């Protein structure tokens, strides 16, 4: 019998899961609370409880060639970094092209997901939904949770003494939509992540004064990287990952800090992270340094205390007559429709094997898709996660024992502590993680075999950007167009920028992109050996 799969959420992860189910002959039913697909990227002019929310000016941080579904490139003329409306247009086109809309039930809330009495034998779930005030319940062989992790704002009011006395407006960045209403206001933004930096930079054009308060600092990267190419096309490569993970730590850390400081010296702008060698997720903002230079944005340390009208920072300085405080302090991971013990099975932390499967379940029939963060884009990550998850649900792939899965989680926590400074973070190393998932289903490209059989492609795969097409070269779901997509990816990158022809468009030299770091590394090792 065909297995029935309930998919919760019709955003990027939900669409990837529907498609993966169809590829493997499963029967998906997707439940979406909102009126349309797209999840986080479906803009609304008001925040709605239980749904992700973005502001109108949001653009992607990943370029189109690194963001796409692996067998569905963006149109040539799409900009490299897209406004949210452009990405939503692409998402809709993908859903129509792959005939996914027929499997989606809009305006349908999943209110509960419970194990069936015979779960230990069947692995089945009771899924209760609500639509137009009516409740329905159905039995499913598996559940894929694709509701994202930007839904429930984290607003740590208890961490800020005196906040209850503050008389101005106070809200989370989840509620922020546009800058017009802040004209002439004095605004404090707490948090130096992507949302905090975006909002502060945007408000600096209309507000009287904007101050950003940061507890630990952040690396701020530009979307425009060396040679004017998109940052991720130059930065997220297999060779860069190999160097980062295999060079001596002192050299790897030095090279990382040098890359982060290539555009400007973060310590001169008050942005330097407390521990700059940690691979904490950087912020992507092309404007913030200029706004700091112009004096319309000021960076301050953590808030020590609030008064009725002001904020006192840990360095003793005071921001007076504040009109509004915006908390850009991230989100909590919550799944109110399911028992917490399933997802947070240890110490109230999310405990998932490879960020997908809850280890204690007697049957591996529940998967969480999209609950990871990395320098890579969400779409290719969700695509690969769902492909593996569906293979496990179908029974083609098997999971290790509970003990082995928990040991793997503990090992990964140790590595996260080393690389990111937190063991409970959902951040991960993009290429290492993607290769790990791809190897489970036989979709990881063999670099050595490519060099022996297709050197031209091998050079692009190893030294060029690790674009999503690489994970549809081989294995289940292999796409015949993957090779050509990889070899023509720079043409699609250059197409939307070369609108005034002043010569032949220049593609980056793969040799040049990796020669400099390896030369620096060799010289550093030589100097170390000579001195010590």
């Amino acid at each position: 019998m065909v297995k029935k799969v309930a998919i919760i959420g019709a955003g990027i992860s939900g669409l990837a899961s529907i498609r993966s189910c169809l590829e493997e002959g499963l029967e998906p039913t997707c439940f979406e609370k909102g009126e349309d697909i797209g999840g986080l990227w479906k803009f609304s002019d008001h925040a709605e409880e239980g749904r992700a929310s973005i502001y109108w000016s949001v653009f992607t941080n990943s370029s189109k060639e690194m963001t796409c579904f692996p067998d569905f490139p963006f149109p040539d003329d799409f900009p490299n970094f897209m406004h949210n409306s452009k990405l939503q247009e692409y998402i809709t086109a993908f859903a129509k092209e792959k005939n996914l809309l027929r499997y989606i039930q809009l305006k349908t809330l999943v209110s509960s997901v419970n194990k069936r009495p015979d779960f230990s034998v069947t692995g089945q779930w009771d899924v209760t939904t609500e639509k137009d005030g009516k409740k329905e319940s159905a039995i499913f062989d598996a559940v894929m949770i694709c509701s994202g992790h930007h839904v429930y704002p984290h607003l740590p009011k208890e961490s800020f003494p005196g906040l209850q006395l503050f008389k101005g407006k106070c809200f989370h960045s989840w509620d922020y939509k546009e800058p017009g209403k802040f004209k002439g206001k004095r605004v404090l933004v707490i948090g130096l992540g992507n949302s905090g930096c975006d909002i502060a930079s945007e408000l600096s054009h209309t507000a009287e004064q904007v101050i950003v308060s940061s507890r630990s600092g952040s690396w701020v990267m530009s979307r425009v990287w060396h040679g004017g190419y998109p940052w991720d096309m130059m930065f997220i490569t297999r060779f860069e990952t190999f160097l980062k993970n295999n060079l001596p730590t002192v050299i790897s850390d030095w090279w990382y800090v040098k890359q982060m400081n290539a555009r400007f010296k973060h310590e001169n702008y008050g942005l330097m992270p407390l521990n700059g060698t940690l691979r904490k997720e950087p912020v992507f903002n092309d404007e913030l340094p200029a706004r700091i230079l112009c004096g319309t944005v000021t960076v301050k340390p953590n808030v020590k205390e609030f008064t009725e009208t002001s904020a006192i920072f840990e360095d003793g300085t005071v921001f007076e007559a504040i009109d509004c405080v915006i908390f850009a302090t991230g989100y909590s991971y919550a799944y109110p429709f399911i028992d917490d013990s399933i997802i947070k099975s240890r110490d109230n932390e999310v405990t998932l094997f490879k960020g997908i499967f809850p280890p204690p379940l007697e049957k591996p029939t529940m998967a969480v898709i999209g609950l990871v963060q990395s320098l890579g884009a969400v779409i290719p990550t969700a695509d690969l996660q769902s492909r593996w998850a569906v293979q496990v649900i179908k029974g083609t792939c098997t999971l290790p024992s509970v003990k082995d899965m928990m040991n793997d989680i503990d090992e990964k926590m140790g590595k996260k502590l080393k690389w990111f400074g937190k063991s409970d973070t959902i951040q991960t190393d993009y290429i290492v993680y993607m290769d790990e998932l791809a190897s489970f289903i036989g979709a990881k490209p063999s670099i050595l075999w490519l060099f022996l059989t297709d050197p031209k492609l091998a050079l692009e795969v190893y030294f060029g950007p690790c674009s999503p097409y690489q994970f549809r070269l081989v294995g289940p779901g292999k796409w015949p167009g993957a090779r050509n997509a990889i070899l023509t990816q720079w043409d699609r990158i250059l197409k939307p920028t070369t609108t005034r022809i002043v010569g032949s468009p220049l593609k980056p030299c793969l040799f040049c992109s990796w020669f400099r770091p390896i030369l620096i590394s060799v010289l550093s090792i030589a100097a170390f050996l000579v001195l010590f």
Side-chain angles (χ1 to χ4, degrees):
M1 294 180 64
V2 175
K3 289 188 175 182
K4 297 181 178 180
V5 182
I7 296 171
I8 304 173
I12 285 168
S13 298
L15 295 177
S17 297
I18 297 171
R19 199 268 288 268
S20 294
C21 285
L22 296 176
E23 286 184 323
E24 293 301 324
L26 306 186
E27 184 181 323
T29 301
C30 180
F31 302 106
E32 167 56 46
K33 179 182 178 181
E35 298 179 353
D36 201 355
I37 65 172
L40 175 69
W41 294 100
K42 178 59 180 177
F43 174 79
S44 173
D45 58 7
H46 64 279
E48 181 183 344
E49 187 177 354
R51 282 182 52 80
S53 176
I54 57 174
Y55 35 96
W56 174 244
S57 58
V58 167
F59 280 75
T60 61
N61 290 331
S62 297
S63 64
K64 65 178 183 180
E65 289 301 296
M66 301 293 279
T67 301
C68 65
F69 283 98
D71 59 343
F72 195 72
F74 282 89
D76 289 5
D77 59 350
F78 267 45
N80 285 298
F81 294 98
M82 291 156 288
H83 185 255
N84 62 81
S85 59
K86 214 63 175 167
L87 184 56
Q88 177 67 12
E89 181 183 332
Y90 168 83
I91 292 169
T92 302
F94 172 79
K96 290 179 178 178
E97 173 71 21
K98 303 300 181 182
N99 197 24
L100 308 181
L101 298 177
R102 60 185 293 191
Y103 301 96
I104 302 171
Q105 297 183 20
L106 298 174
K107 299 181 183 179
T108 304
L109 170 71
V110 174
S111 55
S112 68
V113 176
N114 296 297
K115 294 179 180 178
R116 296 275 296 163
D118 57 354
F119 180 84
S120 60
V121 177
T122 64
Q124 291 181 326
W125 302 85
D126 281 319
V127 178
T128 303
T129 59
E130 296 180 28
K131 184 174 184 178
D132 299 328
K134 297 179 181 179
K135 284 192 174 185
E136 290 186 4
S137 187
I139 300 171
F140 288 91
D141 297 296
V143 175
M144 300 179 77
I145 300 175
C146 306
S147 51
H149 56 273
H150 295 94
V151 176
Y152 301 100
H154 174 59
L155 213 166
K157 291 184 177 181
E158 68 284 351
S159 300
F160 297 93
L163 186 60
Q164 70 277 8
L165 304 174
F166 180 66
K167 292 186 175 181
K169 291 184 178 180
C170 176
F171 62 91
H172 193 274
S173 58
W174 178 81
D175 284 302
Y176 175 82
K177 292 298 176 180
E178 52 85 26
K181 63 179 68 175
F182 297 91
K183 185 175 182 179
K185 303 294 185 181
R186 295 169 62 81
V187 182
L188 172 62
V189 178
I190 295 180
L192 200 62
N194 282 301
S195 295
C197 290
D198 279 354
I199 292 171
S201 298
E202 184 169 74
L203 291 182
S204 70
H205 293 277
T206 55
E208 177 187 318
Q209 179 63 57
V210 178
I211 285 184
V212 179
S213 169
S214 175
R215 181 177 54 189
S216 57
S218 290
W219 293 118
V220 179
M221 290 176 64
S222 172
R223 292 176 176 87
V224 184
W225 205 242
H226 301 311
Y229 302 106
W231 75 271
D232 48 0
M233 296 288 282
M234 305 296 290
F235 193 80
I236 303 180
T237 73
R238 292 182 176 279
F239 186 69
E240 280 268 357
T241 298
F242 171 79
L243 288 181
K244 179 189 70 176
N245 292 334
N246 290 280
L247 283 173
T249 301
V250 65
I251 296 175
S252 177
D253 288 348
W254 170 81
W255 177 241
Y256 179 74
V257 172
K258 184 175 176 62
Q259 286 178 305
M260 294 299 103
N261 268 327
R263 182 182 171 205
F264 67 95
K265 304 300 181 186
H266 282 65
E267 51 265 54
N268 295 343
Y269 287 70
L271 298 169
M272 183 77 175
L274 291 180
N275 188 338
T277 60
L278 290 177
R279 270 48 167 189
K280 179 182 174 183
E281 185 181 11
V283 169
F284 292 93
N285 193 292
D286 300 279
E287 192 179 15
L288 182 64
R291 304 314 295 169
I292 294 173
L293 278 178
C294 293
T296 55
V297 173
T298 303
V299 181
K300 288 289 185 178
N302 196 36
V303 175
K304 178 182 178 181
E305 182 182 1
F306 279 97
T307 69
E308 291 184 352
T309 59
S310 63
I312 303 169
F313 301 103
E314 289 181 345
D315 62 359
T317 57
V318 181
F319 185 26
E320 301 278 6
I322 302 173
D323 295 295
C324 180
V325 178
I326 302 175
F327 284 86
T329 45
Y331 294 83
S332 301
Y333 318 129
Y335 302 99
F337 46 81
I338 193 168
D339 191 285
D340 257 3
S341 64
I342 294 177
I343 303 296
K344 299 179 178 180
S345 60
R346 186 174 63 182
D347 300 330
N348 203 35
E349 291 181 358
V350 174
T351 311
L352 299 171
F353 180 59
K354 306 304 180 187
I356 300 174
F357 289 102
L361 287 180
E362 302 97 312
K363 296 288 183 179
T365 56
M366 173 170 282
V368 180
I369 307 299
L371 191 63
V372 294
Q373 269 181 301
S374 69
L375 282 180
V378 174
I379 290 179
T381 305
D383 180 76
L384 201 47
Q385 283 186 319
S386 61
R387 288 165 66 192
W388 177 48
V390 166
Q391 296 270 8
V392 173
I393 291 169
K394 186 180 177 181
T396 310
C397 292
T398 57
L399 296 181
S401 66
V402 173
K403 180 181 178 181
D404 287 343
M405 285 192 283
M406 295 304 296
N407 287 340
D408 182 84
I409 290 170
D410 289 339
E411 181 184 347
K412 292 294 188 298
M413 283 184 174
K415 290 181 179 179
K416 287 181 178 182
L417 188 64
K418 173 187 175 183
W419 284 105
F420 309 118
K422 293 176 66 179
S423 63
D424 61 342
T425 182
I426 59 174
Q427 196 171 344
T428 189
D429 186 309
Y430 178 67
I431 294 179
V432 172
Y433 181 68
M434 294 288 278
D435 276 350
E436 194 170 30
L437 296 186
S439 66
F440 293 148
I441 60 173
K444 178 183 175 182
S446 169
I447 305 302
L448 177 59
W449 180 251
L450 283 179
F451 270 111
L452 294 173
T453 59
D454 195 342
K456 182 179 180 180
L457 178 63
L459 285 170
E460 195 70 49
V461 166
Y462 191 66
F463 294 111
C466 186
S467 48
Y469 318 116
Q470 293 192 16
F471 301 102
R472 290 270 179 176
L473 280 169
V474 296
K478 176 182 176 181
W479 178 45
R483 180 183 187 276
N484 183 64
I486 293 170
L487 296 179
T488 58
Q489 56 195 357
W490 289 105
D491 296 325
R492 289 186 297 279
I493 284 290
L494 294 171
K495 176 70 180 292
T497 60
T498 52
T499 53
R500 173 177 171 262
I501 307 301
V502 291
S504 299
L506 298 176
K507 300 177 185 179
C509 170
L510 292 181
F511 177 77
C512 298
S513 67
W514 62 264
F515 177 74
R516 184 171 62 171
I518 196 170
L519 176 62
I520 291 174
S521 301
V522 170
L523 291 176
S524 300
I525 293 172
F528 180 83
L529 293 175
V530 169
L531 292 174
F532 299 97

